[in-house]
Amino acid sequence: MCGIIGYIGNRSAIPILVSGLMRLEYRGYDSAGLALSVRGSLKVHKAAGKLFRLKSILPKRSGGKIGIGHTRWATHGAPTDINAHPHLSADGKTAVVHNGIVENAAELRSLLEDEGVEFVSETDTELLAHLIARETDASLEQRVGKALALVQGTYGIAVIHCDESDRIVVARHGSPIIIGVGDREMLVASDIAALVRYTQQVVHLDDGEIATLDAKGFRTMTMDAQPIPKSPSTVSWQDDAYERGEYAHYMRKEIFEQPAAIARTLSGRIEDRFHTAHLGGLNLEASDLRDIKRVKLLGCGSAFYAGVAGAHFIESLARIPASAEPAAEFRYRNPVIERDTLHVAISQSGETLDTLMAIQEVRRSGGPVLGIVNVVGSSIAREAEGGIYMHAGPEVSVASTKAYTCSLVALVLLALHLGRMRDLSIERGSNLIEALKRLPDDIESALATEDSLRDLAQRHARCSSAFYIGRGTGFAVALEGAQKLKEISYIHAEAYPSSELKHGPLALVGPELPTFMVMPHGAMLEKSIVSLEEVKARKGPVIALTHPGDARIARRADSVIEIPHTDDLLAPVVMAIPLQLFAYHCALALGRDIDQPRNLAKSVTVE
Ligand code: F6R
């Protein structure tokens, strides 16, 4: 949620820290700050609000060649200048930036206050600076290790000290820390997005590890200073993949990247000869996969909604009972975890804390866990036994678009793979494969509906509420459509299975409430048409999202968005596109901050 950046080398640190913060701003954007070690003292600059406010107060020149920076999404304490990171110890010599939450903050705060420490901020991070400063060991890494031994909760931290200005000390427990290895310079960040402009060589810290960086290299160790040698790996995402280019918003760019992104998800994974999917990264024996009796899909937000669709795919193709559950609910309800249940974690960032904790819970009980993850080397990808990388490319807009559709495609591939190991016919397998090959083109056709969606958005952007309904996988698409609308346009939206309308929500239907009906052709079409009539009988405006060719829909709906016919199982992927475009254009018409909607952050690394 927050972002960390650090630099040590021979260049002026400010421009490098600022460019890193710009890349991290999507992670949290209510305040930002940086601390530099300059000629034996620390200089700290912080500002509430977006990064441009910090930029406007930074000195033009500074001799600092070592520094740490942070962009914040407030947890403890309001987003003010004082609560912005970095935080200093009372003597002003130690500066800390921190992602995560100190759970025993109240206890540690009163311990420090009893010792005479006066706090200046409301944050849990400030106490880390005081805890480190009260240790007396000779080296900064030892003092950091000892201080962290008192801390319960999660952290990724970076620390500098003005008397030891040849190093940055970093540590990780539950919140990512990635070291960037440069040429006679070293960087650290909580997200590779902030590093790839300077280096492609990275080292991921694991939980319980500390590292010391100097201009020439790094040393990784346990909290009690036992060395853990690590070698850098190469990141494939390049800096330009994070550029917005000609697009007004990252969200629109990412919507339009979907044909290429989906082609990458599919690339190398279709095995025509056996009419199945080739998934090299599952790391599970075929016999283990054949023995699976149930599949449980876990994720948060849009990733959970992808799981809702994924459960349909798996039941339909593999005939294995499958269900999806929000990861946070699963984690806290003392779930029954059976060894013949395959758990699949879905996550764009690979860092969502609730999803990570849920799969750690499964692993503790010995159940197999796969990850469907976008960010290579992320915590969830490393925690899972194996999985399928989405290969969607970096997703910067807070609202997920291409990662959502790529995860649907990855789930179809998994379902096909599991199905063909069981009794899915060659004919069904090869039909689906042909449809998967056409999918990038179908997505292009769905993108061509943008003008109609823009017009529709102009008409409906001032509504106070909207319904999204569908049956089967159409309901899964409706969930995601409502999510997109509310998070970026702030219009209240709810999704229901169409069948549920008459059990309550129909009371709200009337001329002021538009209903988006997801109506793919297929087994449930007739039922959907009944729901359409129910809404029309109450004078509710209906926007039908369907395939061409049904005159009844054209006659009764107020607006019809037609997308190409595709395999029934792939309709959710294609139908997601107009819903993304509708949300985008509503938000645009309302002048919202589309890429960084209020109160939200990309990658939720706290509970
Ligand atoms: C919605 C959205 C969120 C994320 C959710 C999970 O557009 O982006 O609902 O889907 O926070 O994030 P990941 O996929 O990173 O685990």
Side-chain angles (χ1 to χ4, degrees):
M1 322 216 41
C2 309
I4 287 177
I5 176 79
Y7 173 80
I8 182 164
N10 286 317
R11 292 194 268 174
S12 172
I14 288 185
I16 297 172
L17 295 177
V18 169
S19 82
L21 290 178
M22 284 166 70
R23 285 278 184 257
L24 294 172
E25 203 179 14
Y26 76 121
R27 303 292 294 249
Y29 32 81
D30 61 34
S31 53
L34 43 89
L36 301 154
S37 180
V38 189
R39 292 180 290 279
S41 66
L42 294 182
K43 303 269 179 268
V44 177
H45 310 276
K46 325 202 257 192
K50 293 218 171 178
L51 192 56
F52 70 85
R53 297 213 44 236
L54 173 69
K55 279 162 73 179
S56 70
I57 60 160
L58 288 175
K60 294 277 165 294
R61 250 180 243 282
S62 145
K65 294 180 176 171
I66 159 170
I68 53 178
H70 191 264
T71 171
R72 176 167 187 250
W73 185 89
T75 55
H76 285 61
T80 59
D81 289 0
I82 286 180
N83 287 334
H85 301 205
H87 289 283
L88 293 180
S89 56
D91 62 6
K93 293 186 160 208
T94 307
V96 178
V97 290
H98 164 224
N99 288 353
I101 291 192
V102 178
E103 281 164 10
N104 56 342
E107 185 195 313
L108 291 172
R109 205 175 165 107
S110 53
L111 173 114
L112 289 161
E113 280 170 345
D114 289 347
E115 291 177 5
V117 173
E118 284 180 27
F119 280 80
V120 292
S121 78
E122 301 159 275
T123 66
D124 52 347
T125 302
E126 186 187 342
L127 66 83
L128 296 176
H130 297 308
L131 284 179
I132 295 166
R134 85 200 247 284
E135 298 297 336
T136 52
D137 302 74
S139 79
L140 183 57
E141 50 269 37
Q142 281 170 318
R143 297 198 296 280
V144 170
K146 287 226 175 119
L148 290 177
L150 302 174
V151 172
Q152 286 160 18
T154 55
Y155 51 80
I157 60 168
V159 186
I160 55 173
H161 189 284
C162 61
D163 296 340
E164 290 161 81
S165 61
D166 58 346
R167 71 193 63 186
I168 303 177
V169 174
V170 297
R172 170 191 166 133
H173 182 72
S175 198
I177 288 288
I178 305 156
I179 298 168
V181 181
D183 181 12
R184 281 167 294 167
E185 60 183 8
M186 298 290 294
L187 294 103
V188 63
S190 52
D191 184 326
I192 51 169
L195 300 176
V196 289
R197 180 159 182 195
Y198 301 100
T199 178
Q200 241 59 41
Q201 298 297 305
V202 300
V203 176
H204 292 264
L205 279 202
D206 283 310
D207 281 350
E209 291 179 356
I210 293 195
T212 300
L213 323 182
D214 58 33
K216 297 204 200 75
F218 66 96
R219 292 191 310 279
T220 38
M221 61 207 105
T222 59
M223 293 283 170
D224 50 5
Q226 299 307 310
I228 311 174
K230 292 194 162 208
S231 319
S233 56
T234 305
V235 184
S236 59
W237 290 355
Q238 304 286 329
D239 188 49
D240 56 5
Y242 292 90
E243 295 295 337
R244 189 156 46 76
E246 75 214 32
Y247 291 92
H249 298 97
Y250 279 103
M251 182 177 179
R252 188 159 179 278
K253 171 181 183 246
E254 288 159 9
I255 290 173
F256 277 83
E257 280 174 348
Q258 287 174 108
I262 285 172
R264 282 197 302 272
T265 310
L266 291 170
S267 173
R269 287 171 169 161
I270 286 180
E271 201 164 291
D272 284 301
R273 195 152 65 107
F274 298 110
H275 317 280
T276 187
H278 169 75
L279 300 173
L282 298 186
N283 296 340
L284 291 173
E285 297 296 327
S287 57
D288 294 335
L289 286 171
R290 251 180 238 112
D291 288 345
I292 285 163
K293 297 286 182 304
R294 261 170 298 280
V295 179
K296 169 68 89 179
L297 300 144
L298 299 167
C300 298
S302 297
F304 161 59
Y305 300 147
V308 174
H312 283 273
F313 303 156
I314 290 166
E315 291 206 342
S316 163
L317 295 179
R319 307 300 299 150
I320 307 173
S323 61
E325 187 173 349
E329 292 303 309
F330 172 85
R331 170 188 170 199
Y332 279 116
R333 68 171 174 79
N334 192 15
V336 178
I337 297 170
E338 291 167 314
R339 280 167 193 246
D340 53 9
T341 299
L342 174 67
H343 291 82
V344 183
I346 305 163
S347 177
Q348 185 287 129
S349 61
E351 301 296 348
T352 300
L353 188 78
D354 282 320
T355 311
L356 179 62
M357 293 293 176
I359 63 169
Q360 284 176 348
E361 193 60 31
V362 177
R363 295 215 64 184
R364 253 194 297 280
S365 313
V369 177
L370 296 179
I372 293 183
V373 175
N374 195 31
V375 178
V376 175
S378 56
S379 303
I380 293 172
R382 290 143 67 79
E383 185 71 33
E385 264 140 321
I388 309 172
Y389 277 121
M390 297 174 195
H391 297 313
E395 192 178 68
V396 176
S397 173
V398 163
S400 185
T401 52
K402 59 178 181 170
Y404 168 77
T405 48
C406 287
S407 57
L408 292 184
V409 173
L411 285 160
V412 170
L413 292 172
L414 179 63
L416 174 62
H417 186 74
L418 294 172
R420 288 289 295 134
M421 295 179 118
R422 291 173 166 75
D423 49 13
L424 187 74
S425 68
I426 288 181
E427 191 193 0
R428 179 71 186 104
S430 67
N431 288 342
L432 183 59
I433 282 176
E434 290 317 307
L436 280 167
K437 290 179 181 167
R438 289 192 303 271
L439 191 55
D441 290 341
D442 292 342
I443 302 281
E444 287 288 2
S445 311
L447 289 169
T449 60
E450 184 176 26
D451 288 345
S452 323
L453 271 313
R454 189 185 291 112
D455 293 348
L456 268 181
Q458 302 284 353
R459 220 173 310 149
H460 293 290
R462 274 161 188 87
C463 68
S464 56
S465 193
F467 274 3
Y468 285 72
I469 62 172
R471 302 288 298 249
T473 52
F475 170 54
V477 178
L479 284 167
E480 174 60 6
Q483 162 97 330
K484 285 287 90 75
L485 188 68
K486 58 192 149 194
E487 72 183 321
I488 59 162
S489 74
Y490 318 150
I491 298 171
H492 170 248
E494 286 196 63
Y496 295 101
S498 319
S499 55
E500 281 290 301
L501 268 193
K502 53 188 168 302
H503 297 291
L506 205 50
L508 292 175
V509 169
E512 305 304 321
L513 184 105
T515 297
F516 238 110
M517 302 196 66
V518 184
M519 307 175 78
H521 290 184
M524 300 311 277
L525 183 64
E526 295 307 315
K527 306 265 180 222
S528 295
I529 288 176
V530 173
S531 305
L532 169 59
E533 292 297 347
E534 284 169 359
V535 176
K536 284 314 302 170
R538 274 96 193 157
K539 301 195 167 36
V542 168
I543 307 158
L545 182 51
T546 188
H547 307 295
D550 195 300
R552 292 167 301 173
I553 299 177
R555 208 167 39 243
R556 292 298 280 145
D558 298 78
S559 316
V560 181
I561 303 295
E562 289 180 341
I563 54 129
H565 283 279
T566 175
D567 188 283
D568 286 359
L569 275 199
L570 301 183
V573 188
V574 191
M575 290 198 163
I577 310 295
L579 300 182
Q580 296 167 350
L581 288 167
F582 180 69
Y584 174 82
H585 284 289
C586 284
L588 194 63
L590 294 168
R592 305 299 192 218
D593 189 347
I594 294 181
D595 286 332
Q596 297 180 347
R598 69 183 181 203
N599 305 340
L600 301 180
K602 192 89 178 156
S603 177
V604 183
T605 51
V606 295
E607 280 196 58

